[in-house]
Amino acid sequence: IRELEECKPKKPTSGLPMLIPVQPRWTPSPEGTAKIRVDGAVSRDGNVGLFSVVCRNLSGTFLGASVIKIHGVTDPATLEVLACREALALAADLDLARILVASDSQGVVKDIKNCTGGAYASTTREIVETSTSFDSCTFIFEGRATNIEAHTLAKHVFGLDFGRHVWLSNPPNISCIPMNIIEQ
C-alpha cells in the first residue's frame, strides 16, 4: 500500500506549478533484435538484493522476464551487472540470437564494454565471454525514464522466495508488465 501511495501524484508544496512527468516511451531495438531491459534493487532493510530483466521484440511484444532474489548482495552496481548477466541467461532460455541489453547504469555498461569493474570484474569478463555465443549482443545505457518496467518489476517481486523466477511467453501477473507495450 505504501508503494501505491508513493505513486500518487504529489501536490505542490509551494506556489510553483507541479511539473507533469514525461511518460517513458518504448524505443525499439534494431530489426531482428530483441531488447532486454535490466535493473537491480535493494530491499528497504538493506539485506536483500534483487535484479530483474524484461525482454521484448521489435514491436514491443513481451517475450520473457526473470528475477533473481539473493541475500547479502546489496551493492547497486553489482546488482546491475548481475542483471546484465541474467539478461544473457534469459536470452539463451528464449533461444534468441540477436539481443540489445539496456541498463540505466552508465558505469556498468562502460565496465562491460571495457571488460573492467573492480569488485565485479570477474562477472563482466563472464558477460563478455558469454556474449560471444550470440550472433549479436550489444549493451547500451538508457536512462531510468525508459527503464520503468524492469525497475517496477524488481520493486514488486520482493515478496517472492529467494532464487530465480522466470516468466516465458506470458508476463508476471502485475499491471506494470503489459503483453504489448505499444498497445497500452
Side-chain angles (χ1 to χ4, degrees):
I1 294 175
R2 182 176 35 226
E3 286 181 357
L4 290 173
E5 290 295 323
E6 291 172 1
C7 292
K8 286 184 179 178
K10 307 278 190 266
K11 293 182 181 176
T13 56
S14 68
L16 298 174
M18 188 169 71
L19 296 175
I20 308 285
V22 175
Q23 289 289 24
R25 62 183 176 88
W26 169 249
T27 51
S29 56
E31 184 72 38
T33 303
K35 185 175 197 176
I36 306 174
R37 292 177 167 166
V38 304
D39 200 33
V42 178
S43 64
R44 291 184 192 265
D45 66 9
N47 292 324
V48 175
L50 188 139
F51 44 96
S52 63
V53 303
V54 178
C55 181
R56 294 190 177 277
N57 66 13
L58 170 69
S59 63
T61 301
F62 178 88
L63 298 176
S66 63
V67 172
I68 296 182
K69 181 179 175 182
I70 54 179
H71 185 76
V73 178
T74 57
D75 173 62
T78 301
L79 291 168
E80 194 77 17
V81 81
L82 290 171
C84 290
R85 183 178 72 182
E86 177 58 20
L88 301 181
L90 181 64
D93 290 345
L94 293 168
D95 199 29
L96 301 173
R98 301 175 54 81
I99 60 171
L100 178 69
V101 180
S103 168
D104 62 6
S105 174
Q106 200 164 19
V108 165
V109 171
K110 180 180 175 186
D111 286 340
I112 291 170
K113 288 181 177 183
N114 296 331
C115 203
T116 58
Y120 53 80
S122 61
T123 307
T124 58
R125 283 192 296 275
E126 179 186 347
I127 289 168
V128 169
E129 179 62 31
T130 304
S131 69
T132 63
S133 65
F134 297 93
D135 292 346
S136 172
C137 179
T138 306
F139 292 85
I140 64 166
F141 166 75
E142 283 190 346
R144 177 162 287 178
T146 63
N147 197 26
I148 296 299
E149 278 189 304
H151 179 73
T152 306
L153 177 61
K155 286 174 51 176
H156 278 82
V157 295
F158 269 110
L160 295 177
D161 292 333
F162 285 93
R164 185 175 191 232
H165 305 271
V166 181
W167 298 268
L168 304 175
S169 302
N170 293 309
N173 191 18
I174 55 177
S175 61
C176 68
I177 312 292
M179 189 63 183
N180 189 299
I181 201 165
I182 296 174
E183 296 173 358
Q184 291 188 52

